[in-house]
Amino acid sequence: MDASTFNHLTNIQQHLNSRSRKDNGFGKTCQIFLAITFCRLGFQVENYSSQGVDIDSWNHPYFPNFSIEVKTTTKHTVTLGQKDVDGLKKKAREGYEPIFAVLRLELLSNWIIAKAKGIKAGNHPVGRLQTSVRAMPELQDQVNQEFPRVVNDYGARVLSIPAEEVLTDLDKYLDRERQKVLPKESVMGLRARYRF
């Protein structure tokens, strides 16, 4: 990632660290930024904040439907829990292609988008997820082009509100972004239902 995006994310992480809880919400913040990124790439998206996979994306003109487990790390390894693997297997049975999206928070690091099929629970070197067998260069390139714009659009907002309100606030922005990619028949149905 470029210096501007890295600085935004570092500042956001520090802002969220002001919370007293161990889970400061930084990973979930990046997850919502990634969900918005997928919206802007033309996917319909569902972002989950509880157990199971993190993001489902579907109805893209040429990419398949994806179920995404999102991880952020400052290390050279990423830990994949058994629940992560099990959740992706379940989604694969539902017709989604399971993938991992891993962001190492470091200058010049980008999202790694990797096929998840066959990966076992445990610690994995981040670089190993980029092998030719797992690599998804076209999707990864598009994500890494759009993600800095999303961080630029919403980063200042995140820093301007209390840390405990960040996830709720970002969920509202995600809802607005999702409205932009709804199929025409859904938008027409909403207009008829709500008369707007």
Side-chain angles (χ1 to χ4, degrees):
M1 71 186 79
D2 60 38
S4 174
T5 304
F6 176 73
N7 289 336
H8 266 308
L9 291 176
T10 301
N11 290 336
I12 289 167
Q13 186 178 41
Q14 290 170 352
H15 176 62
L16 294 174
N17 278 341
S18 66
R19 296 169 70 167
S20 59
R21 297 184 336 182
K22 182 182 176 189
D23 177 13
N24 65 13
F26 179 71
K28 290 292 183 189
T29 299
C30 288
Q31 177 182 320
I32 296 172
F33 284 159
L34 185 63
I36 291 170
T37 299
F38 271 77
C39 282
R40 290 184 177 184
L41 295 179
F43 288 93
Q44 291 183 53
V45 169
E46 186 64 42
N47 181 61
Y48 302 102
S49 56
S50 57
Q51 297 288 2
V53 300
D54 293 319
I55 300 171
D56 284 337
S57 60
W58 68 94
N59 205 27
H60 193 273
Y62 57 89
F63 283 119
N65 299 339
F66 294 116
S67 192
I68 309 161
E69 183 63 35
V70 180
K71 297 288 181 184
T72 57
T73 185
T74 56
K75 302 175 183 174
H76 291 281
T77 60
V78 64
T79 302
L80 306 175
Q82 190 60 49
K83 71 171 186 62
D84 301 330
V85 173
D86 292 344
L88 288 171
K89 284 181 182 176
K90 180 182 178 202
K91 287 294 186 172
R93 290 190 296 271
E94 295 173 10
Y96 289 88
E97 182 175 337
I99 63 174
F100 288 114
V102 179
L103 180 64
R104 184 163 174 252
L105 189 59
E106 181 178 78
L107 189 61
L108 304 180
S109 290
N110 283 313
W111 282 101
I112 295 171
I113 309 294
K115 295 175 185 174
K117 187 175 180 180
I119 291 185
K120 296 182 181 349
N123 289 328
H124 298 272
V126 172
R128 195 169 285 171
L129 295 174
Q130 292 183 295
T131 63
S132 60
V133 174
R134 301 215 171 274
M136 304 181 73
E138 186 178 357
L139 179 61
Q140 183 173 294
D141 288 349
Q142 289 189 31
V143 165
N144 286 318
Q145 286 176 14
E146 189 59 40
F147 183 75
R149 295 182 192 117
V150 172
V151 173
N152 186 58
D153 289 348
Y154 295 110
R157 173 66 184 159
V158 168
L159 293 170
S160 72
I161 61 174
E164 61 274 5
E165 295 175 18
V166 166
L167 296 179
T168 303
D169 199 57
L170 282 178
D171 277 335
K172 292 175 188 173
Y173 289 110
L174 174 58
D175 285 341
R176 290 181 192 152
E177 296 277 351
R178 286 196 298 211
Q179 294 299 316
K180 298 175 187 176
V181 292
L182 282 174
K184 288 181 182 155
E185 52 277 1
S186 294
V187 172
M188 290 171 62
L190 282 173
R191 284 186 176 148
R193 184 174 173 189
Y194 296 104
R195 300 181 190 279
F196 66 97

